């Protein structure tokens, strides 16, 4: 009994000490939360929110406010797709490039992540993950220009083919839409590999073993178990890829040539060559609205499918 009493007294003393720390009164939990979140959200406000608000304001002006032209409020910039019908074709091309790039990255990224999970372990897997993110360590401009040396007429691809087939026709496809997609896939594929890897690594191996022991074929396991359970990774990767791809301008300009006219290149020209910031800002926010509408619809369908 004395031992138990001493133990209870020690526990009560410890609780009292933790409840009333030395040095004064404990801060409310909400103040601690605000103190931890303030640096992050303060930086996001300065680096993201304020520039976006400035561009939104520019999009409703008749001229760039940094010049000597008279500035007035207008909605004309948001009628660009009506006043300049060629922009509809440019937007369609941008959407096609974004869809093709996202689809190819989804297939290749999912299979690569699945191979990392199923066929590797330990340091081998870590080494391969480092190789996956290796494109992030190189300059994007260098990556794109390196592809021009590979896929141009008489480039490295042609030289490799003619090593085995001397009279082979040229396989170069520089300055084409496939060349643009190739460059974008090279740049954005790691996003899909990493998001799919994170989703697949959490799947319990016993689920796959149970399905195999019950006689399920490999394609049944793939499409009925692995793909649905990795859907969050596929959706996250698709968002990370599709959104920046439809606004990309470096790959279309370098690898697409005259066929590389996309919304990204048009917007870039408005800001750099034409100095028409209001139109460039309006086109940017129009793309943003379309992307948000697409993903709002897609997320609603995904939630209904998961609920059912």
């Amino acid at each position: 009994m004395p031992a138990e009493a001493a133990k209870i007294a020690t526990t009560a003393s410890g609780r009292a000490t933790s409840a009333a720390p030395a040095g004064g009164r404990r801060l409310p939990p909400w103040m601690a939360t605000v103190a931890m979140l303030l640096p992050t959200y303060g930086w996001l406000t300065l680096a993201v929110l304020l520039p976006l608000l400035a561009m939104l304001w520019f999009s409703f002006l008749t001229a760039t406010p940094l010049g000597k032209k008279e500035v007035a409020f207008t909605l004309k910039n948001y009628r660009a797709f009506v006043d300049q019908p060629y922009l509809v074709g440019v937007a369609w091309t941008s959407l096609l490039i974004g869809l093709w790039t996202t689809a190819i990255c989804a297939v290749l990224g999912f299979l690569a992540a699945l191979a990392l999970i199923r066929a590797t372990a330990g340091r081998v897997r870590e080494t391969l993950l480092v190789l996956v993110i290796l494109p992030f360590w190189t300059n994007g401009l260098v990556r794109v220009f390196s592809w021009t040396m590979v896929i141009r007429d008489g480039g490295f691809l042609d030289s490799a083919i003619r090593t085995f087939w001397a009279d082979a026709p040229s396989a170069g496809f520089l300055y084409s839409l496939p060349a643009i997609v190739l460059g974008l896939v090279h740049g954005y594929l790691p996003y899909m590999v990493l998001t799919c890897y994170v989703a697949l690594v959490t799947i319990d191996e016993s689920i796959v073993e149970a399905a195999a022991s019950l006689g399920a074929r490999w394609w049944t396991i793939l499409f009925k178990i692995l793909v649905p359970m990795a859907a969050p990774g596929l959706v996250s990767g698709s968002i990370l890829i599709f959104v920046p791809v439809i606004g990309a301008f470096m790959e279309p300009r370098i690898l697409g040539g005259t066929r590389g006219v996309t919304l990204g290149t048009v917007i870039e020209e408005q800001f750099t060559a034409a100095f028409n910031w209001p139109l460039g800002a309006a086109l940017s926010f129009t793309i943003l609205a379309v992307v948000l509408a697409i993903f709002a619809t897609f997320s609603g369908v995904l939630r209904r499918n998961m609920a059912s």
Side-chain angles (χ1 to χ4, degrees):
M1 293 296 291
E4 294 180 358
K7 183 177 181 180
I8 293 174
T10 302
T11 304
S13 176
R15 290 177 179 174
T17 303
S18 62
R25 193 174 49 179
R26 175 180 293 182
L27 292 176
W30 67 269
M31 291 186 64
T33 303
V34 170
M36 288 187 293
L37 294 179
L38 187 60
T40 300
Y41 282 96
W43 172 253
L44 289 176
T45 300
L46 291 175
V48 179
L49 183 60
L50 291 181
L52 282 177
L53 290 176
M55 287 297 104
L56 182 62
W57 176 55
F58 287 172
S59 68
F60 292 104
L61 302 180
T62 56
T64 305
L66 303 180
K68 297 182 179 180
K69 294 183 179 180
E70 184 178 354
V71 177
F73 181 84
T74 182
L75 296 175
K76 183 179 179 181
N77 295 319
Y78 285 94
R79 295 180 51 205
F81 288 94
V82 177
D83 298 337
Q84 305 177 43
Y86 84 95
L87 289 176
V88 177
V90 173
W92 178 246
T93 301
S94 300
L95 287 175
L96 283 179
I97 291 174
L99 291 173
W100 273 109
T101 302
T102 305
I104 295 172
C105 286
V107 175
L108 296 180
F110 179 84
L111 294 178
L114 185 61
L116 285 173
I117 296 296
R118 308 287 294 177
T120 62
R123 292 188 176 181
V124 175
R125 181 183 297 179
E126 295 173 359
T127 303
L128 291 177
L129 282 174
V130 171
L131 293 178
V132 167
I133 64 175
L134 192 60
F136 292 152
W137 299 351
T138 58
N139 184 273
L141 194 61
V142 174
R143 292 199 310 264
V144 176
F145 271 111
S146 66
W147 277 115
T148 63
M149 299 293 101
V150 176
I151 61 176
R152 65 183 177 87
D153 291 341
F156 295 149
L157 180 62
D158 278 352
S159 300
I161 294 176
R162 287 168 183 167
T163 301
F164 305 96
W165 182 12
D167 298 328
S170 176
F173 56 96
L174 186 61
Y175 305 133
S176 65
L177 293 183
I180 299 174
V181 173
L182 176 64
L184 290 170
V185 168
H186 179 205
Y188 290 94
L189 181 60
Y191 290 110
M192 186 66 72
V193 176
L194 295 177
T195 55
C196 289
Y197 174 83
V198 172
L200 288 170
V201 78
T202 60
I203 297 176
D204 191 352
E205 184 66 23
S206 62
I207 299 176
V208 178
E209 294 176 355
S213 64
L214 292 173
R217 304 284 185 174
W218 66 267
W219 56 83
T220 303
I221 296 175
L222 178 63
F223 292 107
K224 296 293 185 179
I225 298 177
L226 295 178
V227 172
M229 296 186 74
L234 286 168
V235 173
S236 301
S238 298
I239 295 173
L240 289 174
I241 292 172
F242 183 77
V243 173
V245 160
I246 63 172
F249 64 90
M250 184 171 60
E251 290 86 355
R253 186 174 296 281
I254 296 174
L255 299 177
T258 57
R259 299 201 60 186
V261 180
T262 62
L263 283 177
T265 60
V266 171
I267 293 172
E268 187 258 346
E269 288 175 354
Q270 299 304 315
F271 278 98
T272 58
F275 202 64
N276 190 353
W277 289 16
L279 180 57
L283 291 176
S284 300
F285 279 98
T286 302
I287 295 176
L288 179 61
V290 172
V291 170
L292 291 178
I294 292 173
F295 282 110
T297 304
F298 184 76
S299 62
V301 174
L302 182 62
R303 282 196 300 268
R304 286 194 296 269
N305 291 338
M306 293 179 65
S308 59

